[in-house]
Amino acid sequence: DSQLNPDYTFANFIEGDCNRLARSAGWAVSENPGGTAFNPLVLYGDSGLGKTHLAQSIGLKAKELHPEKTVLYVSSQKFQTQFTEAIRNNNKNDFLHFYQMIDILIIDDIQELAGKEKTQNTFFHIFNHLHQSGKQLILTSDKAPIELKGMENRLLSRFKWGLSADLQNPDYETRVRILQQKAYKDGIILENDVIEYIATHVINNVRELEGALISLLAQSTLNKKELNLELAVEIIDKLVKNTKREISIDYIQKIVCDHFNMPVDLLQAKTRKREIVQARQIAMYFSKSMTKASLSTIGSQIGKKDHATVLHACKTVNNLIDTDRAFKTQIDEINKKLKM
Ligand code: ADP
Ligand code: MG
């Protein structure tokens, strides 16, 4: 049994700018497992953006196209538990042997192996064996391999052998298409104004988007209310207020730009103008300290920069806070506005 969820198919995975590279690399891997340069394929991104779904789609498609191959999906937690049990029962070799027989191995949330040296060590041997025999590895992680802490360097360097592709938060249009698809799948007709309302207000990740739709459907069925804009406004506003307001990168950019009285799209402009560079650095600094987003996610959302630029921005801002009183005052003020 491959432990794959049959709902997590490519057909159910909406494509957008946020996931195009990861999706097409995944598709290529499922057509030709072990035979592309994408080995391992590492899918990374924040929680709720589709890593598990996409990793499983690859497994399902590969099974369909190559029924003779063995596919296994396993969470890092389960892998860890199985390993501990194998050690306790003195059959580590069976454990190794089992994993070394797999043709397409999907391990979800590898960041959870952080600090687990013995498990990492065993995984290292499994990885080498599979990779050398032309078998496919697909890994997911909430951070880019370069940002993973508590992982052995020799493992991290192997993660970089293949392709690391990130999943980002979908934009408005992709959110609309995801909602349309979910509603269609559930056999429900949603008016455009309802879909637009949800897509405008539920913006953090796909899991929340789905959650919002589910609450809306539940309320309308339970209370026999018509599924219209009025109900959507009522339900969604409650939801948005209740999710302990998580400060988003978009929100930080808006507050920083308001503070410096500049239009928010200037942060995306390709310019070295001092004020803009500094506003961008400040937005990056707050995104790093106030959100759980990875450096590369922050960079790509603020001016399409890479993770090194974000790291540099955080250092620069920290230095200025220590050395420049006027600058520190500005930072304190922005901090206050963000927490209002
Ligand atoms: P992650 O593993 O990154 O935390 P999941 O793969 O569990 O995220 O995705 C969360 C939910 O959002 C799942 O129900 C998944 O089906 C859905 N989802 C994520 N991305 C998409 C997408 N592009 N199209 C359709 N549904 C998606
Ligand atoms: Mg997941």
Side-chain angles (χ1 to χ4, degrees):
D1 183 20
S2 60
Q3 307 285 326
L4 292 162
N5 175 343
D7 284 338
Y8 284 156
T9 59
F10 273 112
N12 291 337
F13 189 79
I14 299 291
E15 181 174 357
D17 287 342
C18 53
N19 60 34
R20 201 175 313 280
L21 173 71
R23 187 185 177 282
S24 59
W27 186 273
V29 162
S30 63
E31 285 186 319
N32 190 8
T36 68
F38 313 144
N39 199 15
L41 176 62
V42 181
L43 304 170
Y44 68 95
D46 295 332
S47 170
L49 297 183
K51 300 182 293 294
T52 299
H53 185 143
L54 182 57
Q56 297 220 15
S57 305
I58 301 168
L60 286 169
K61 187 86 202 160
K63 239 175 75 166
E64 180 191 321
L65 297 174
H66 313 275
E68 77 287 0
K69 291 197 193 280
T70 48
V71 182
L72 182 72
Y73 167 88
V74 64
S75 68
S76 291
Q77 237 164 10
K78 186 162 174 197
F79 182 82
Q80 162 75 26
T81 313
Q82 286 175 345
F83 173 70
T84 319
E85 257 164 45
I87 296 294
R88 191 181 327 122
N89 301 330
N90 241 329
N91 48 18
K92 181 173 161 197
N93 280 341
D94 291 350
F95 176 83
L96 267 173
H97 189 68
F98 172 79
Y99 275 96
Q100 289 176 342
M101 299 277 289
I102 310 279
D103 295 312
I104 299 161
L105 177 60
I106 306 168
I107 303 197
D108 208 354
D109 290 316
I110 45 158
Q111 75 278 354
E112 304 208 348
L113 299 183
K116 312 240 157 79
E117 276 167 39
K118 286 185 187 136
T119 317
Q120 283 182 34
N121 191 323
T122 301
F123 177 50
F124 178 75
H125 292 294
I126 294 170
F127 186 108
N128 286 342
H129 183 95
L130 294 179
H131 199 275
Q132 276 160 19
S133 344
K135 308 298 176 61
Q136 179 71 44
L137 290 121
I138 299 153
L139 311 171
T140 81
S141 164
D142 69 352
K143 292 191 191 60
I146 31 169
E147 289 176 37
L148 274 174
K149 301 218 172 70
M151 289 293 229
E152 283 187 46
N153 281 332
R154 55 181 194 167
L155 256 185
L156 288 184
S157 75
R158 271 160 180 75
F159 293 169
K160 289 178 225 156
W161 279 356
L163 177 75
S164 300
D166 67 336
L167 292 168
Q168 300 198 350
N169 203 9
D171 56 24
Y172 172 79
E173 263 135 47
T174 311
R175 293 201 290 276
V176 166
R177 282 189 292 122
I178 290 174
L179 287 167
Q180 284 167 337
Q181 184 244 21
K182 305 264 175 220
Y184 176 80
K185 244 187 82 201
D186 289 344
I188 289 143
I189 296 165
L190 284 182
E191 298 297 334
N192 282 337
D193 55 0
V194 172
I195 291 194
E196 283 159 16
Y197 192 84
I198 305 174
T200 307
H201 291 88
V202 184
I203 59 173
N204 284 328
N205 62 56
V206 185
R207 189 172 289 127
E208 277 183 17
L209 203 58
E210 265 183 4
L213 189 58
I214 292 169
S215 311
L216 187 59
L217 297 180
Q219 286 296 325
S220 113
T221 330
L222 291 174
N223 301 333
K224 304 212 164 46
K225 283 191 187 168
E226 202 190 327
L227 222 173
N228 56 16
L229 183 60
E230 194 190 340
L231 183 68
V233 171
E234 183 192 324
I235 303 296
I236 301 302
D237 283 5
K238 251 190 241 155
L239 274 180
V240 172
K241 266 193 216 122
N242 283 343
T243 43
K244 197 172 78 209
R245 192 173 56 115
E246 218 183 277
I247 296 181
S248 69
I249 299 175
D250 282 340
Y251 182 70
I252 291 170
Q253 295 189 75
K254 183 178 176 308
I255 296 292
V256 170
C257 288
D258 281 354
H259 180 83
F260 292 116
N261 204 14
M262 58 163 72
V264 75
D265 45 352
L266 266 190
L267 291 188
Q268 309 298 331
K270 276 211 164 42
T271 165
R272 302 239 172 105
K273 266 182 88 178
R274 217 185 97 82
E275 302 91 71
I276 297 171
V277 171
Q278 190 157 78
R280 205 150 48 206
Q281 290 180 328
I282 292 173
M284 288 173 174
Y285 163 84
F286 279 113
S287 301
K288 182 64 201 154
S289 56
M290 292 186 160
T291 75
K292 285 187 222 126
S294 62
L295 292 174
S296 47
T297 301
I298 294 171
S300 68
Q301 287 194 41
I302 306 180
K304 294 218 160 49
K305 304 291 180 188
D306 63 11
H307 80 283
T309 308
V310 181
L311 207 56
H312 175 72
C314 296
K315 280 193 192 138
T316 308
V317 171
N318 274 318
N319 279 338
L320 284 172
I321 290 175
D322 289 342
T323 54
D324 181 340
R325 288 204 130 200
F327 184 84
K328 180 170 187 303
T329 312
Q330 302 268 351
I331 294 291
D332 289 343
E333 273 173 31
I334 298 172
N335 193 18
K336 230 185 272 161
K337 289 182 188 167
L338 281 167
K339 287 181 175 159
M340 266 193 320

